Amino acid sequence: MMAAGTVIVGAGQAGFQAAASLREHGYQEPIVLVGDEGVAPYQRPPLSKAYLLGEMSGERLLLRPLSYYEKHAIELVLGDRVTSIDRAAGRVMTSSGAALPFDHLILALGARNRPLPVEGAELDGVHYLRSQKESDLIRARMDGAQNIVVVGAGFIGLEVAAVASKLGKRVTVLEALPRVMSRAVTRPVSDFYAQAHRDWGSELLLDARLQRIDGAGGRVTGVTLADGRKHAADLVLAGIGIVPNVELAQAAGLAVANGIVVDRRLATADPRISAIGDCAAFPDPASGAMIRLESVQNAADQGRAVARRIAGHAEDYAAVPWFWSDQRDLKLQMVGLTAACDRAVLRGDPASRAFSVFCFHDEKLIGIESVNRAADHMFGRRLLGAGQSIAPDQAADLGFDLKARLAQLPPPARA
Ligand SMILES: Cc1cc2nc3c(=O)[nH]c(=O)nc-3n(C[C@H](O)[C@H](O)[C@H](O)COP(=O)(O)OP(=O)(O)OC[C@H]3O[C@@H](n4cnc5c(N)ncnc54)[C@H](O)[C@@H]3O)c2cc1C
């Protein structure tokens, strides 16, 4: 009997990588990559940066040209949605009526935007940003807009604000918490970015709660804050986080807790079914705590890891997380997880617009946040990847040679 092979649900960053890596590892069985978006897998980061600004074409968003999939015998099923998993029969059903059998099933379902929970959220002119289509809509709307209100000063909100202010729009950013990007970065980096956006001409309102979105004739005209303040808007961009797509797994009886629950090898309780990328909750290799990450690195590395396991090289997932965000001339790069940071050490001067914050927990380096200091970021990836640390006073000392420290590292275990 012919092998059913691997079905990958979700043709995004993680799903694409799993398919590509399976073939790189010599996997010979059929691979079917199913995506509901109707376009071949593409990168999302430019959607709030160069692509939104009009400096990058749609073609360049694609992770690979269509010919790649044919050449590597990856069957791409686009514009179709997997609606259920029949675990007993080992197959998934799609909205077009297809039944796709699998030996291995990889759920790479991504996430969807968290909707604004306020009156007026349904008005024309209220936008979210996850897909290329949504980026196109925002750009078209932005061209004719004067006043743009961004709800949420996370990465996507601030990246859109950076584009909009560069395009000469009047931008207001509302953030319910006392500082920007607070879930992800330390205070010095938050404060630096808040000032940068103000310098670019945006109005940044912290501790600001959105009460409702105002409109006339079905179209957005402004927003009202909880304290009664009003701001005019002809475009509202909501960037208040995402919700992982877990329903498919849940309906199939798999455990779900802020993500589809997987083990150290990214497998669910059903060993034939794995979950990767934005939709997966997995044990942090460092602490063992269940985490879910939303980044290209996480999606791609988990795609690679699950492909290696299916191809017969089982090992625990242990990649060091990293992330970046581009806002005008500022490149923010982060490595490690810094929530447990109990000592933040500055390397370089924020006034020079190039500095890093080295984050320690119990005197051990756990992460680095860098602004326009790519070398510090790369240092962190190598050092943390080797499970090593430096002392806080070394981090603060610009005379301390990071390159020389890397030269002392043992060679990596696997190329
Ligand atoms: C605007 C924007 C900017 C970003 N910028 C950065 C950045 O600068 N740096 C960074 O590291 N990360 C960034 N990210 C995050 C990064 O893009 C994501 O973490 C990454 O795309 C996650 O990959 P994924 O494959 O898990 O999910 P996705 O890329 O979302 O792919 C999941 C796919 O599955 C499809 N799908 C879901 N359910 C089904 C179903 N039942 N049947 C078929 N298909 C289904 C979805 O429609 C989607 O196409 C950004 C994200 C966005 C939206």
Side-chain angles (χ1 to χ4, degrees):
M1 210 173 81
M2 232 184 83
T6 298
V7 171
I8 304 169
V9 189
Q13 188 83 46
F16 156 76
Q17 190 61 57
S21 294
L22 275 169
R23 288 292 182 241
E24 278 162 25
H25 288 301
Y27 183 75
Q28 304 279 342
E29 316 298 344
I31 300 174
V32 184
L33 179 55
V34 192
D36 60 1
E37 276 193 79
V39 276
Y42 61 91
Q43 359 162 20
R44 297 186 196 279
L47 301 180
S48 51
K49 309 177 182 75
Y51 182 77
L52 185 62
L53 204 49
E55 288 179 351
M56 187 177 182
S57 69
E59 204 168 312
R60 281 192 50 217
L61 284 182
L62 292 179
L63 287 162
R64 293 290 184 280
L66 275 175
S67 56
Y68 170 88
Y69 301 91
E70 206 177 296
K71 188 165 163 215
H72 292 85
I74 296 167
E75 189 187 340
L76 206 47
V77 178
L78 299 176
D80 202 359
R81 190 173 174 75
V82 169
T83 49
S84 64
I85 305 168
D86 182 343
R87 285 168 59 190
R91 59 183 189 179
V92 298
M93 266 61 67
T94 78
S95 50
S96 72
L100 307 171
F102 65 80
D103 298 319
H104 293 280
L105 176 64
I106 302 175
L107 301 176
L109 306 166
R112 58 185 180 271
N113 290 304
R114 187 180 295 285
L116 276 175
V118 297
E119 187 189 325
E122 73 296 339
L123 288 166
D124 177 33
V126 177
H127 289 263
Y128 299 86
L129 179 49
R130 179 81 192 170
S131 65
Q132 184 179 5
K133 229 186 238 168
E134 287 167 330
S135 184
D136 291 341
L137 281 172
I138 292 167
R139 179 55 207 240
R141 188 71 181 234
M142 210 185 263
D143 283 340
Q146 301 282 323
N147 298 302
I148 294 172
V149 169
V150 172
V151 185
F155 294 115
I156 290 181
L158 289 186
E159 287 176 2
V160 173
V163 167
S165 64
K166 191 168 181 182
L167 292 172
K169 308 297 171 185
R170 200 172 310 134
V171 180
T172 306
V173 181
L174 309 179
E175 169 55 54
L177 295 173
R179 60 186 182 90
V180 306
M181 301 185 287
S182 60
R183 276 198 311 143
V185 299
T186 53
R187 178 171 287 281
V189 173
S190 280
D191 292 349
F192 175 82
Y193 272 85
Q195 191 54 48
H197 280 270
R198 287 178 172 135
D199 292 344
W200 292 328
S202 294
E203 187 174 3
L204 179 61
L205 303 177
L206 302 173
D207 289 311
R209 295 206 78 86
L210 179 68
Q211 179 75 26
R212 66 165 188 273
I213 301 172
D214 303 311
R219 270 179 89 115
V220 160
T221 55
V223 296
T224 301
L225 306 193
D227 61 10
R229 279 180 290 176
K230 285 180 177 292
H231 286 267
D234 25 26
L235 166 57
V236 172
L237 183 280
I240 58 164
I242 58 175
V243 182
N245 291 325
V246 299
E247 291 74 9
L248 202 56
Q250 198 163 27
L254 298 169
V256 156
N258 181 34
I260 303 168
V261 174
V262 294
D263 63 16
R264 289 181 184 282
R265 298 198 167 169
L266 308 175
T268 65
D270 183 333
R272 296 167 307 168
I273 307 180
S274 309
I276 56 175
D278 282 13
C279 71
F282 66 99
D284 174 12
S287 68
M290 293 302 282
I291 56 172
R292 191 177 61 75
L293 299 178
E294 300 162 4
S295 72
V296 166
Q297 169 277 323
N298 180 68
D301 280 344
Q302 292 195 340
R304 289 186 189 99
V306 85
R308 275 183 67 79
R309 167 161 57 75
I310 291 171
H313 314 277
E315 59 213 20
D316 288 355
Y317 179 72
V320 173
W322 56 267
F323 186 82
W324 80 95
S325 172
D326 296 330
Q327 295 169 40
R328 293 177 72 156
D329 63 327
L330 301 174
K331 183 167 207 72
L332 172 62
Q333 293 169 293
M334 290 138 53
V335 56
L337 298 177
T338 55
C341 179
D342 55 22
R343 185 163 174 198
V345 174
L346 210 54
R347 185 176 177 88
D349 180 4
S352 70
R353 297 176 86 71
F355 68 101
S356 294
V357 175
F358 282 56
C359 301
F360 292 85
H361 178 78
D362 279 348
E363 304 289 291
K364 187 172 181 283
L365 186 73
I366 56 169
I368 303 175
E369 300 161 357
S370 305
V371 179
N372 291 347
R373 277 183 71 99
D376 290 358
H377 174 73
M378 292 315 293
F379 167 79
R381 278 165 62 173
R382 294 256 333 260
L383 193 79
L384 294 172
Q388 305 256 328
S389 186
I390 56 168
D393 58 337
Q394 292 173 326
D397 177 7
L398 282 175
F400 178 77
D401 189 343
L402 301 180
K403 254 198 188 145
R405 176 68 182 84
L406 289 181
Q408 298 165 359
L409 293 181
R414 179 166 59 83

